[in-house]
Amino acid sequence: MSVGVSTSAPLLTTSDTTHTTPVFSVVDYLVFALLLLLSLAIGLYHACRGWGHHTVGQLLMADRKMSCFPVALSLLATFQSAVAILGVPSEIYRFGTQYWFLGCSYFLGLLIPAHIFIPVFYRLHLTSTYEYLELRFNKAVRICGTVTFIFQMVIYMGVVLYAPSLALNAVTGFDLWLSVLTLGIVCTIYTALGGLKAVIWTDVFQTLVMFLGQVAVIIVGSAKVGGMGRVWALASQHDLISGIELNPDPFVRHTFWTLAFGGVFMMLSLYGVNQAQVQRYLSSHTEKAAVLSCYAVFPCQQIVLCISCLIGLVMFAYYQEFPLSSQQAQAAPDQFVLYFVMDLLNGLPGLPGLFVACLFSGSLSTISSAFNSLATVTMEDLIQPWFPEFSETRAIMLSRSLAIGYGLLCLGMAYISSQMGPLLQAAISIFGMVGGPLLGLFCLGIFFPCANPPGAIVGLLAGLIMAFWIGIGSLLTSMGSGTAASHLNVSSFSLPSNLTSVTVTTLMPFTTLSKPTGLQRFYSLSYLWYSAHNSTTVIVVGLIVSLLTGGMRGRTLNPQTIYPVLPRLLALLPLSCQKRLCCRSHSQDVSMDTSLFAEKMKKGMLQDSGDKWAMAEDRPGQEGISPTFVLQETSL
């Protein structure tokens, strides 16, 4: 079956067997409670260790002493949310293994951050990613980036907490608000008290729980249907094993090009510039450790993707042998995995609890990362620049208060999510809409020396407008037609009161039967091209506005904020071609700005409060780019 061009989900095998809601045993509750207690214990351990001697650097950046292994697993845990645990197997079950080709995007999606974004951010000795925007442009651009990120994460936090709890409640009868409050409170406590180090080490523990829960499902499920050979045979027999779909049409939901290259931009927005991930890179004790942690994520992600795909195939084989009940067949797509797990593990006390612990480990890791990153950017970007006289003790108290405040806000957003009805789909898709423009803003600064502050602000606004135009337009179109479009980052409701189907934000869309035309065709852009389209809009508009407003003439350019990709590409050409391509007037302008910057730096005329503008070679232990090298590179 060619998933990329399919127009409907495969028919589900059903039976008329009356379905009874599975009930958790005492052992299951104990396993689930153990997850929460151990997560809380890890956070409290790091909070109590050295109590009274903590610094803001320890709380927000783990004192920049983390090693490669925990950082890599924390990066993986943040990416592997409950949404993915529920969504990917259901995607494979319904549409086949085409989604597996997303793994091809992991290579470039991690290689580019490792060799471009991490070196630039690490050598500037940043705490907040958005400090870069002030060093490259000005304070106004930094505030615009920070506010955009806060808006993105606050909208998404409540949904990540509420939606998996609702899906679990619908399938197992697990109390909805008890799980929401318990997770929210536990996560808030260990994030606020333990800081980034507690978040990273709890992520390590939660990653292991996620892995064990998913592997247990694969082992038990494959054993019940006759082994993995039988699973593969049934999947092949029903055309569930997808080949490479080379259709270049960006309006087709899933093709090889969409997954492998459109996914690169999605990965860059997550692993390249997102504060929750970059903060982990910057907490590493050396730049090399940060790069290695990025490399280590690549095989881990491939393993996780393969495990999720295998769960989907095992689930398909299981329901070929033991058909779904009528109630289960009418359920929302994100509930399929939970129904499968409860049917499969119902007679094995403790294993259903292990999978629920696996599911909520995904939620805990994502939410704790959000709390910590939001507290960091609020402190570093919105408070400290205006109140630099804060003492260390007051700064620590304020940082913890911010984490607690965002935890309470998350619980409030979870309640609002329960009242929003169909508008919840728009709230979820905002997360995907905002990531692309922020990626474009950072790429504009890093790769284009001529980009200036007016261009950055106008470009960001243009990218956000384009993102919301496509996202909201596609949402309204699908709601008006009564079906969910194939490109949406959200899924449709199976019933008006059923909110659980929206938990799968990028994996569960249904496809329309008729080919869209006009603006509807424009709105049917595959969700995986959203980041590429919106970030390109920011870059193009930003460059045009920058050129119209004089570029960087008359402004000081910090050479460490630029990655000279064009000169490095030109250096591969023959010397004669390089001379023809050199633009002398632009070379002189950039040389003058860079030389002026270096001269002022040496005279002490440019001093930032955190000494972040000092040349890297002037800081012990930092690998830097010499002013002469930057001058030669940028002059090309």
Side-chain angles (χ1 to χ4, degrees), residues 472-531:
I472 301 299
S474 62
L475 176 66
L476 295 177
T477 300
S478 65
M479 291 173 64
S481 63
T483 58
S486 63
H487 55 284
L488 283 177
N489 285 2
V490 296
S491 56
S492 66
F493 292 88
S494 56
L495 291 172
S497 61
N498 183 7
L499 299 180
T500 62
S501 59
V502 299
T503 59
V504 185
T505 60
T506 60
L507 304 170
M508 289 294 98
F510 293 101
T511 51
T512 55
L513 296 177
S514 58
K515 190 173 183 179
T517 57
L519 272 181
Q520 289 187 1
R521 173 70 170 169
F522 179 64
Y523 294 148
S524 66
L525 181 70
S526 173
Y527 69 90
L528 283 167
W529 287 113
Y530 272 17
S531 288

Short mmCIF file of all heavy atoms in Angstrom, two decimals, residues 472-531:
data_model
loop_
_atom_site.label_atom_id
_atom_site.label_comp_id
_atom_site.label_asym_id
_atom_site.label_seq_id
_atom_site.Cartn_x
_atom_site.Cartn_y
_atom_site.Cartn_z
N ILE A 472 -4.65 28.04 10.61
CA ILE A 472 -6.05 28.33 10.95
C ILE A 472 -6.94 28.14 9.72
O ILE A 472 -8.07 27.63 9.84
CB ILE A 472 -6.19 29.75 11.51
CG1 ILE A 472 -5.30 29.92 12.76
CG2 ILE A 472 -7.63 30.06 11.83
CD1 ILE A 472 -5.66 28.98 13.90
N GLY A 473 -6.44 28.51 8.54
CA GLY A 473 -7.24 28.32 7.32
C GLY A 473 -7.55 26.86 7.06
O GLY A 473 -8.68 26.50 6.72
N SER A 474 -6.54 26.01 7.23
CA SER A 474 -6.76 24.58 7.03
C SER A 474 -7.71 24.01 8.08
O SER A 474 -8.53 23.15 7.79
CB SER A 474 -5.43 23.85 7.06
OG SER A 474 -4.82 24.01 8.32
N LEU A 475 -7.59 24.51 9.31
CA LEU A 475 -8.46 24.05 10.38
C LEU A 475 -9.91 24.41 10.10
O LEU A 475 -10.82 23.58 10.20
CB LEU A 475 -8.01 24.65 11.71
CG LEU A 475 -8.87 24.34 12.93
CD1 LEU A 475 -8.82 22.85 13.25
CD2 LEU A 475 -8.40 25.14 14.13
N LEU A 476 -10.14 25.68 9.71
CA LEU A 476 -11.51 26.12 9.43
C LEU A 476 -12.09 25.39 8.22
O LEU A 476 -13.27 25.05 8.18
CB LEU A 476 -11.54 27.63 9.20
CG LEU A 476 -11.17 28.50 10.41
CD1 LEU A 476 -11.15 29.97 10.04
CD2 LEU A 476 -12.16 28.26 11.55
N THR A 477 -11.24 25.15 7.21
CA THR A 477 -11.70 24.43 6.02
C THR A 477 -12.15 23.02 6.38
O THR A 477 -13.20 22.55 5.93
CB THR A 477 -10.58 24.36 4.97
OG1 THR A 477 -10.20 25.69 4.59
CG2 THR A 477 -11.03 23.60 3.74
N SER A 478 -11.35 22.35 7.21
CA SER A 478 -11.69 20.97 7.58
C SER A 478 -12.94 20.94 8.45
O SER A 478 -13.78 20.05 8.32
CB SER A 478 -10.53 20.32 8.32
OG SER A 478 -10.31 20.95 9.56
N MET A 479 -13.08 21.93 9.36
CA MET A 479 -14.27 21.96 10.22
C MET A 479 -15.51 22.27 9.40
O MET A 479 -16.59 21.73 9.65
CB MET A 479 -14.09 23.00 11.33
CG MET A 479 -13.04 22.61 12.37
SD MET A 479 -12.68 23.92 13.56
CE MET A 479 -14.28 24.06 14.36
N GLY A 480 -15.35 23.13 8.39
CA GLY A 480 -16.50 23.49 7.55
C GLY A 480 -16.98 22.34 6.69
O GLY A 480 -18.16 22.20 6.40
N SER A 481 -16.02 21.49 6.26
CA SER A 481 -16.39 20.37 5.39
C SER A 481 -16.78 19.13 6.17
O SER A 481 -17.25 18.16 5.61
CB SER A 481 -15.22 20.02 4.46
OG SER A 481 -14.10 19.61 5.23
N GLY A 482 -16.57 19.18 7.50
CA GLY A 482 -16.96 18.05 8.34
C GLY A 482 -15.94 16.95 8.39
O GLY A 482 -16.15 15.92 9.01
N THR A 483 -14.80 17.13 7.72
CA THR A 483 -13.73 16.14 7.77
C THR A 483 -12.43 16.83 8.05
O THR A 483 -12.28 18.02 7.80
CB THR A 483 -13.59 15.39 6.42
OG1 THR A 483 -13.34 16.35 5.40
CG2 THR A 483 -14.83 14.59 6.12
N ALA A 484 -11.47 16.12 8.53
CA ALA A 484 -10.16 16.68 8.81
C ALA A 484 -9.31 16.55 7.58
O ALA A 484 -9.22 15.54 6.95
CB ALA A 484 -9.51 15.96 9.99
N ALA A 485 -8.67 17.63 7.22
CA ALA A 485 -7.82 17.61 6.04
C ALA A 485 -6.60 16.77 6.30
O ALA A 485 -6.15 16.58 7.41
CB ALA A 485 -7.42 19.02 5.66
N SER A 486 -6.00 16.33 5.21
CA SER A 486 -4.89 15.41 5.35
C SER A 486 -3.62 16.05 5.82
O SER A 486 -2.69 15.39 6.20
CB SER A 486 -4.62 14.75 3.99
OG SER A 486 -4.24 15.74 3.06
N HIS A 487 -3.56 17.37 5.83
CA HIS A 487 -2.31 18.04 6.14
C HIS A 487 -2.25 18.56 7.55
O HIS A 487 -1.24 19.07 7.97
CB HIS A 487 -2.17 19.25 5.20
CG HIS A 487 -3.37 20.15 5.29
ND1 HIS A 487 -4.55 19.85 4.71
CD2 HIS A 487 -3.55 21.32 5.95
CE1 HIS A 487 -5.44 20.82 4.98
NE2 HIS A 487 -4.85 21.71 5.73
N LEU A 488 -3.36 18.48 8.28
CA LEU A 488 -3.42 19.16 9.56
C LEU A 488 -2.46 18.56 10.58
O LEU A 488 -2.17 17.38 10.56
CB LEU A 488 -4.84 19.10 10.13
CG LEU A 488 -5.83 20.07 9.50
CD1 LEU A 488 -7.19 19.85 10.09
CD2 LEU A 488 -5.40 21.50 9.69
N ASN A 489 -2.03 19.40 11.49
CA ASN A 489 -1.20 18.92 12.60
C ASN A 489 -2.07 18.41 13.73
O ASN A 489 -1.60 18.20 14.83
CB ASN A 489 -0.31 20.04 13.11
CG ASN A 489 0.82 20.31 12.19
OD1 ASN A 489 0.93 19.68 11.15
ND2 ASN A 489 1.68 21.22 12.56
N VAL A 490 -3.35 18.28 13.51
CA VAL A 490 -4.27 17.81 14.54
C VAL A 490 -5.16 16.76 13.93
O VAL A 490 -5.23 16.59 12.73
CB VAL A 490 -5.13 18.97 15.09
CG1 VAL A 490 -4.28 19.99 15.78
CG2 VAL A 490 -5.93 19.63 13.98
N SER A 491 -5.86 16.06 14.78
CA SER A 491 -6.78 15.05 14.30
C SER A 491 -8.21 15.43 14.61
O SER A 491 -8.48 16.29 15.43
CB SER A 491 -6.44 13.70 14.93
OG SER A 491 -6.46 13.81 16.33
N SER A 492 -9.13 14.79 13.95
CA SER A 492 -10.52 15.18 14.09
C SER A 492 -11.16 14.52 15.30
O SER A 492 -10.63 13.60 15.89
CB SER A 492 -11.28 14.76 12.84
OG SER A 492 -11.32 13.36 12.76
N PHE A 493 -12.35 14.97 15.63
CA PHE A 493 -13.10 14.39 16.72
C PHE A 493 -13.98 13.27 16.19
O PHE A 493 -14.68 13.45 15.20
CB PHE A 493 -14.00 15.44 17.38
CG PHE A 493 -13.23 16.49 18.08
CD1 PHE A 493 -12.79 17.62 17.41
CD2 PHE A 493 -12.94 16.36 19.41
CE1 PHE A 493 -12.06 18.59 18.07
CE2 PHE A 493 -12.22 17.33 20.08
CZ PHE A 493 -11.79 18.45 19.41
N SER A 494 -13.98 12.14 16.87
CA SER A 494 -14.89 11.09 16.47
C SER A 494 -16.29 11.37 17.01
O SER A 494 -17.27 10.96 16.43
CB SER A 494 -14.39 9.74 16.99
OG SER A 494 -14.22 9.78 18.39
N LEU A 495 -16.37 12.08 18.13
CA LEU A 495 -17.64 12.51 18.69
C LEU A 495 -17.47 13.93 19.18
O LEU A 495 -16.38 14.33 19.57
CB LEU A 495 -18.05 11.60 19.86
CG LEU A 495 -18.43 10.16 19.50
CD1 LEU A 495 -18.62 9.35 20.78
CD2 LEU A 495 -19.70 10.12 18.66
N PRO A 496 -18.53 14.76 19.18
CA PRO A 496 -18.38 16.14 19.63
C PRO A 496 -17.81 16.27 21.03
O PRO A 496 -17.09 17.20 21.33
CB PRO A 496 -19.82 16.68 19.56
CG PRO A 496 -20.50 15.82 18.55
CD PRO A 496 -19.86 14.47 18.69
N SER A 497 -18.14 15.34 21.91
CA SER A 497 -17.66 15.45 23.29
C SER A 497 -16.36 14.70 23.54
O SER A 497 -15.85 14.70 24.65
CB SER A 497 -18.73 14.89 24.24
OG SER A 497 -18.96 13.53 23.95
N ASN A 498 -15.84 14.07 22.51
CA ASN A 498 -14.64 13.26 22.69
C ASN A 498 -13.41 14.09 22.37
O ASN A 498 -13.10 14.33 21.22
CB ASN A 498 -14.71 12.03 21.78
CG ASN A 498 -13.53 11.12 21.97
OD1 ASN A 498 -12.72 11.34 22.86
ND2 ASN A 498 -13.42 10.11 21.14
N LEU A 499 -12.71 14.51 23.40
CA LEU A 499 -11.53 15.35 23.19
C LEU A 499 -10.26 14.54 23.08
O LEU A 499 -9.21 15.10 22.81
CB LEU A 499 -11.39 16.33 24.37
CG LEU A 499 -12.54 17.30 24.59
CD1 LEU A 499 -12.22 18.19 25.77
CD2 LEU A 499 -12.80 18.14 23.36
N THR A 500 -10.35 13.24 23.29
CA THR A 500 -9.11 12.48 23.38
C THR A 500 -8.43 12.33 22.04
O THR A 500 -7.23 12.12 21.98
CB THR A 500 -9.38 11.08 23.95
OG1 THR A 500 -10.26 10.38 23.06
CG2 THR A 500 -10.00 11.17 25.30
N SER A 501 -9.14 12.46 20.95
CA SER A 501 -8.51 12.22 19.66
C SER A 501 -7.55 13.31 19.26
O SER A 501 -6.79 13.15 18.32
CB SER A 501 -9.59 12.07 18.57
OG SER A 501 -10.38 13.22 18.52
N VAL A 502 -7.56 14.44 19.98
CA VAL A 502 -6.66 15.52 19.60
C VAL A 502 -5.29 15.37 20.23
O VAL A 502 -4.43 16.21 20.03
CB VAL A 502 -7.23 16.90 20.00
CG1 VAL A 502 -8.53 17.15 19.29
CG2 VAL A 502 -7.43 16.99 21.50
N THR A 503 -5.06 14.30 20.98
CA THR A 503 -3.75 14.17 21.60
C THR A 503 -2.66 13.95 20.58
O THR A 503 -1.51 14.28 20.81
CB THR A 503 -3.72 13.00 22.60
OG1 THR A 503 -4.06 11.81 21.91
CG2 THR A 503 -4.69 13.24 23.72
N VAL A 504 -2.97 13.36 19.45
CA VAL A 504 -1.95 13.06 18.46
C VAL A 504 -1.86 14.24 17.52
O VAL A 504 -2.65 14.40 16.62
CB VAL A 504 -2.30 11.77 17.70
CG1 VAL A 504 -1.17 11.40 16.77
CG2 VAL A 504 -2.54 10.66 18.70
N THR A 505 -0.90 15.10 17.75
CA THR A 505 -0.89 16.40 17.11
C THR A 505 -0.33 16.40 15.71
O THR A 505 -0.62 17.30 14.94
CB THR A 505 -0.06 17.38 17.96
OG1 THR A 505 1.27 16.86 18.04
CG2 THR A 505 -0.63 17.52 19.33
N THR A 506 0.48 15.44 15.38
CA THR A 506 1.06 15.45 14.05
C THR A 506 0.98 14.11 13.35
O THR A 506 1.53 13.95 12.28
CB THR A 506 2.55 15.84 14.11
OG1 THR A 506 3.23 14.90 14.91
CG2 THR A 506 2.73 17.23 14.66
N LEU A 507 0.29 13.16 13.95
CA LEU A 507 0.40 11.81 13.42
C LEU A 507 -0.93 11.20 12.99
O LEU A 507 -0.94 10.21 12.28
CB LEU A 507 1.02 10.89 14.49
CG LEU A 507 2.37 11.37 14.99
CD1 LEU A 507 2.78 10.54 16.19
CD2 LEU A 507 3.40 11.27 13.91
N MET A 508 -2.07 11.79 13.39
CA MET A 508 -3.31 11.09 13.23
C MET A 508 -4.32 11.69 12.27
O MET A 508 -5.49 11.43 12.37
CB MET A 508 -4.02 11.02 14.62
CG MET A 508 -3.34 10.07 15.56
SD MET A 508 -3.44 8.37 15.01
CE MET A 508 -1.87 8.16 14.22
N PRO A 509 -3.95 12.56 11.34
CA PRO A 509 -4.96 13.17 10.51
C PRO A 509 -5.61 12.18 9.57
O PRO A 509 -4.97 11.28 9.05
CB PRO A 509 -4.19 14.24 9.72
CG PRO A 509 -2.79 13.79 9.76
CD PRO A 509 -2.60 13.02 11.01
N PHE A 510 -6.91 12.36 9.32
CA PHE A 510 -7.60 11.59 8.32
C PHE A 510 -7.44 12.29 6.97
O PHE A 510 -7.15 13.47 6.91
CB PHE A 510 -9.10 11.48 8.63
CG PHE A 510 -9.37 10.66 9.86
CD1 PHE A 510 -9.65 11.29 11.06
CD2 PHE A 510 -9.34 9.29 9.81
CE1 PHE A 510 -9.90 10.55 12.19
CE2 PHE A 510 -9.59 8.54 10.94
CZ PHE A 510 -9.87 9.18 12.12
N THR A 511 -7.69 11.59 5.89
CA THR A 511 -7.54 12.17 4.57
C THR A 511 -8.89 12.40 3.93
O THR A 511 -9.84 11.70 4.20
CB THR A 511 -6.70 11.26 3.67
OG1 THR A 511 -7.25 9.94 3.74
CG2 THR A 511 -5.26 11.20 4.13
N THR A 512 -8.98 13.40 3.10
CA THR A 512 -10.23 13.73 2.44
C THR A 512 -10.37 12.91 1.17
O THR A 512 -9.40 12.51 0.55
CB THR A 512 -10.26 15.23 2.08
OG1 THR A 512 -9.10 15.52 1.31
CG2 THR A 512 -10.26 16.08 3.34
N LEU A 513 -11.61 12.70 0.77
CA LEU A 513 -11.88 11.88 -0.39
C LEU A 513 -11.78 12.67 -1.68
O LEU A 513 -11.51 12.12 -2.73
CB LEU A 513 -13.28 11.26 -0.26
CG LEU A 513 -13.45 10.28 0.93
CD1 LEU A 513 -14.89 9.79 0.99
CD2 LEU A 513 -12.50 9.11 0.80
N SER A 514 -12.02 13.98 -1.63
CA SER A 514 -11.98 14.80 -2.84
C SER A 514 -10.71 15.64 -2.84
O SER A 514 -10.25 16.10 -1.80
CB SER A 514 -13.21 15.71 -2.91
OG SER A 514 -13.27 16.53 -1.77
N LYS A 515 -10.16 15.86 -4.04
CA LYS A 515 -8.93 16.63 -4.17
C LYS A 515 -9.25 18.11 -4.02
O LYS A 515 -10.09 18.66 -4.74
CB LYS A 515 -8.28 16.36 -5.52
CG LYS A 515 -6.89 16.94 -5.65
CD LYS A 515 -6.24 16.48 -6.93
CE LYS A 515 -4.81 17.02 -7.03
NZ LYS A 515 -4.14 16.58 -8.26
N PRO A 516 -8.59 18.83 -3.10
CA PRO A 516 -8.90 20.24 -2.89
C PRO A 516 -8.43 21.11 -4.05
O PRO A 516 -7.50 20.77 -4.78
CB PRO A 516 -8.14 20.58 -1.61
CG PRO A 516 -7.03 19.59 -1.56
CD PRO A 516 -7.56 18.34 -2.19
N THR A 517 -9.08 22.26 -4.21
CA THR A 517 -8.72 23.22 -5.25
C THR A 517 -8.65 24.61 -4.65
O THR A 517 -9.16 24.86 -3.56
CB THR A 517 -9.77 23.21 -6.39
OG1 THR A 517 -11.06 23.51 -5.83
CG2 THR A 517 -9.83 21.86 -7.08
N GLY A 518 -8.02 25.55 -5.39
CA GLY A 518 -7.93 26.93 -4.96
C GLY A 518 -7.20 27.08 -3.64
O GLY A 518 -6.15 26.47 -3.42
N LEU A 519 -7.77 27.91 -2.73
CA LEU A 519 -7.15 28.11 -1.43
C LEU A 519 -7.11 26.82 -0.62
O LEU A 519 -6.21 26.61 0.18
CB LEU A 519 -7.90 29.20 -0.65
CG LEU A 519 -7.44 30.64 -0.87
CD1 LEU A 519 -8.26 31.59 -0.03
CD2 LEU A 519 -5.96 30.81 -0.57
N GLN A 520 -8.12 25.96 -0.81
CA GLN A 520 -8.11 24.69 -0.10
C GLN A 520 -6.88 23.86 -0.49
O GLN A 520 -6.32 23.13 0.32
CB GLN A 520 -9.39 23.90 -0.40
CG GLN A 520 -10.63 24.50 0.23
CD GLN A 520 -11.84 23.62 0.05
OE1 GLN A 520 -11.75 22.54 -0.54
NE2 GLN A 520 -12.98 24.06 0.56
N ARG A 521 -6.48 23.98 -1.75
CA ARG A 521 -5.26 23.30 -2.19
C ARG A 521 -4.04 23.87 -1.46
O ARG A 521 -3.16 23.14 -1.02
CB ARG A 521 -5.10 23.49 -3.70
CG ARG A 521 -3.80 22.99 -4.31
CD ARG A 521 -3.74 21.49 -4.31
NE ARG A 521 -2.61 20.99 -5.08
CZ ARG A 521 -2.21 19.73 -5.08
NH1 ARG A 521 -2.84 18.83 -4.35
NH2 ARG A 521 -1.18 19.36 -5.82
N PHE A 522 -4.02 25.20 -1.31
CA PHE A 522 -2.93 25.85 -0.58
C PHE A 522 -2.92 25.40 0.88
O PHE A 522 -1.86 25.18 1.46
CB PHE A 522 -3.10 27.36 -0.68
CG PHE A 522 -2.05 28.15 0.06
CD1 PHE A 522 -0.72 28.09 -0.31
CD2 PHE A 522 -2.40 28.96 1.13
CE1 PHE A 522 0.25 28.82 0.36
CE2 PHE A 522 -1.45 29.70 1.81
CZ PHE A 522 -0.12 29.62 1.42
N TYR A 523 -4.10 25.24 1.45
CA TYR A 523 -4.21 24.83 2.85
C TYR A 523 -3.86 23.35 3.05
O TYR A 523 -3.69 22.91 4.18
CB TYR A 523 -5.62 25.07 3.38
CG TYR A 523 -6.01 26.52 3.47
CD1 TYR A 523 -7.33 26.92 3.28
CD2 TYR A 523 -5.06 27.50 3.75
CE1 TYR A 523 -7.70 28.26 3.37
CE2 TYR A 523 -5.41 28.83 3.83
CZ TYR A 523 -6.74 29.20 3.64
OH TYR A 523 -7.08 30.52 3.73
N SER A 524 -3.80 22.57 1.98
CA SER A 524 -3.54 21.14 2.11
C SER A 524 -2.06 20.80 2.09
O SER A 524 -1.69 19.65 1.90
CB SER A 524 -4.26 20.37 1.00
OG SER A 524 -3.71 20.68 -0.27
N LEU A 525 -1.20 21.79 2.28
CA LEU A 525 0.24 21.54 2.38
C LEU A 525 0.50 20.54 3.50
O LEU A 525 -0.06 20.64 4.59
CB LEU A 525 0.97 22.85 2.67
CG LEU A 525 2.50 22.79 2.79
CD1 LEU A 525 3.12 22.51 1.43
CD2 LEU A 525 3.04 24.09 3.37
N SER A 526 1.35 19.54 3.23
CA SER A 526 1.65 18.53 4.23
C SER A 526 2.23 19.18 5.49
O SER A 526 3.06 20.09 5.40
CB SER A 526 2.66 17.52 3.68
OG SER A 526 3.09 16.63 4.68
N TYR A 527 1.79 18.73 6.64
CA TYR A 527 2.21 19.35 7.90
C TYR A 527 3.73 19.30 8.10
O TYR A 527 4.29 20.13 8.80
CB TYR A 527 1.50 18.68 9.08
CG TYR A 527 1.94 17.26 9.36
CD1 TYR A 527 2.98 16.98 10.23
CD2 TYR A 527 1.29 16.18 8.75
CE1 TYR A 527 3.38 15.68 10.48
CE2 TYR A 527 1.68 14.88 9.01
CZ TYR A 527 2.72 14.64 9.87
OH TYR A 527 3.11 13.35 10.12
N LEU A 528 4.41 18.35 7.46
CA LEU A 528 5.85 18.25 7.62
C LEU A 528 6.60 19.33 6.86
O LEU A 528 7.80 19.54 7.08
CB LEU A 528 6.33 16.87 7.18
CG LEU A 528 6.05 15.75 8.20
CD1 LEU A 528 6.27 14.38 7.57
CD2 LEU A 528 6.91 15.91 9.44
N TRP A 529 5.93 20.01 5.93
CA TRP A 529 6.55 21.13 5.23
C TRP A 529 6.26 22.47 5.90
O TRP A 529 6.72 23.50 5.44
CB TRP A 529 6.07 21.19 3.77
CG TRP A 529 6.65 20.12 2.89
CD1 TRP A 529 6.00 19.08 2.30
CD2 TRP A 529 8.02 19.98 2.48
NE1 TRP A 529 6.86 18.30 1.57
CE2 TRP A 529 8.11 18.83 1.66
CE3 TRP A 529 9.19 20.72 2.74
CZ2 TRP A 529 9.31 18.41 1.09
CZ3 TRP A 529 10.38 20.28 2.18
CH2 TRP A 529 10.44 19.14 1.37
N TYR A 530 5.48 22.45 6.99
CA TYR A 530 5.13 23.71 7.66
C TYR A 530 6.37 24.47 8.11
O TYR A 530 6.51 25.67 7.85
CB TYR A 530 4.24 23.43 8.89
CG TYR A 530 2.77 23.36 8.60
CD1 TYR A 530 2.29 23.19 7.30
CD2 TYR A 530 1.84 23.47 9.62
CE1 TYR A 530 0.93 23.13 7.05
CE2 TYR A 530 0.48 23.42 9.38
CZ TYR A 530 0.03 23.23 8.09
OH TYR A 530 -1.31 23.18 7.84
N SER A 531 7.28 23.78 8.81
CA SER A 531 8.48 24.46 9.32
C SER A 531 9.33 25.00 8.19
O SER A 531 9.83 26.13 8.27
CB SER A 531 9.31 23.49 10.17
OG SER A 531 8.68 23.23 11.40
#
